[in-house]
Amino acid sequence: MDGAALAARVRAELTDEVAELGEIGLATVLVGDDPASEVYIRLKHKAAEETGIRPVDRRLSEQTSEDELLDLVSELNEDDSIDGILVQTPLPAQIDEARVMRRIDPIKDVDGLHPFNAGQLYLGRQTLVPATPLGVMTLLNEYRIPLAGQSAVVVGRSPLVGKPVAMLLLQANATVAICHSRTDDLARQTLDADVLVAAVGVPGLVTADMVKRGATVVDVGITRTEAGLVGDVDPSVAEIAAFLTPVPGGVGPMTIASLLANTLQAARYRRGALAFPRV
């Protein structure tokens, strides 16, 4: 499943929609100088600019206090030129990540991690949903992968990928199992999967003998090794699966495209073009 090609098409469609709506601002906040986070921010800014979204780059030192970061988020909440806010994770140890996510205005929460947006997803009333799970579902839809009534296994339970993608699969009427580091006999679970999503960040965790022949396998994991970027799924799975996302070039490009789609949706909420529920 070619995520790069689909992402390019999605971004092209977004470019037209952004031009029609008017100026949209996406603020990213990076605390510290983690090399991987630097790369992710740069890629997000480049894609935003190409789509016509104005990126706003805010950076703080590794020693930044939690209160300083919370103050910056509050400032961005009040800035009417900013439609979306993304605080890049992981954050330094002195900062409570959950508290920071709660500070972001839910209507600007393009990462979908505010408890309000997460709760809306849980209830099946989606507002802003994490970008990677959205990208996964867009890929599955593009390749017309059947989901209703099918067995789906998600390996990973993070709030950014594992849990939300499980909710989305469930809402698509799949029968969903969530596996994780404490799952006993992982292969016994994955061999039943018509759709298998691997999202744990462990290189080569899923091998060919763990995959049902003809299954659809989505590899969300990406780890930098001496051999280059590798996923959670061993390449030999391609001989067994009917569909498999490559690493790189699969879910990664779709994550960025979905982030931009979320930013456009946030802008529509803020302009009243879409109704955003309020407590």
Side-chain angles (χ1 to χ4, degrees), residues 75-215:
E75 175 190 322
L76 295 171
N77 283 341
E78 297 300 319
D79 187 339
D80 199 48
S81 71
I82 300 297
D83 294 287
I85 301 170
L86 183 151
V87 178
Q88 185 69 42
T89 56
L91 292 169
Q94 74 272 15
I95 296 175
D96 180 350
E97 183 177 307
R99 189 179 179 205
V100 173
M101 297 308 162
R102 290 196 299 270
R103 179 62 62 92
I104 299 172
D105 186 338
I107 204 170
K108 295 187 176 187
D109 170 37
V110 292
D111 249 349
L113 288 175
H114 188 283
F116 179 83
N117 289 321
Q120 287 290 103
L121 174 60
Y122 173 82
L123 293 170
R125 303 167 185 166
Q126 299 172 24
T127 44
L128 292 166
V129 177
T132 297
L134 281 182
V136 169
M137 298 304 291
T138 303
L139 271 167
L140 293 174
N141 182 66
E142 172 70 11
Y143 285 87
R144 299 181 181 179
I145 306 301
L147 294 176
Q150 300 296 293
S151 173
V153 173
V154 178
V155 186
R157 52 180 171 178
S158 74
L160 192 59
V161 182
K163 289 177 182 176
V165 81
M167 288 294 102
L168 292 172
L169 288 165
L170 189 62
Q171 289 166 24
N173 296 315
T175 300
V176 182
I178 302 176
C179 299
H180 45 76
S181 60
R182 300 291 183 89
T183 298
D184 185 37
D185 193 359
L186 180 60
R188 182 164 58 87
Q189 303 293 330
T190 59
L191 280 167
D192 284 338
D194 301 302
V195 177
L196 175 60
V197 180
V200 287
V202 178
L205 174 68
V206 177
T207 53
D209 60 346
M210 298 170 66
V211 176
K212 179 180 181 179
R213 184 167 294 276

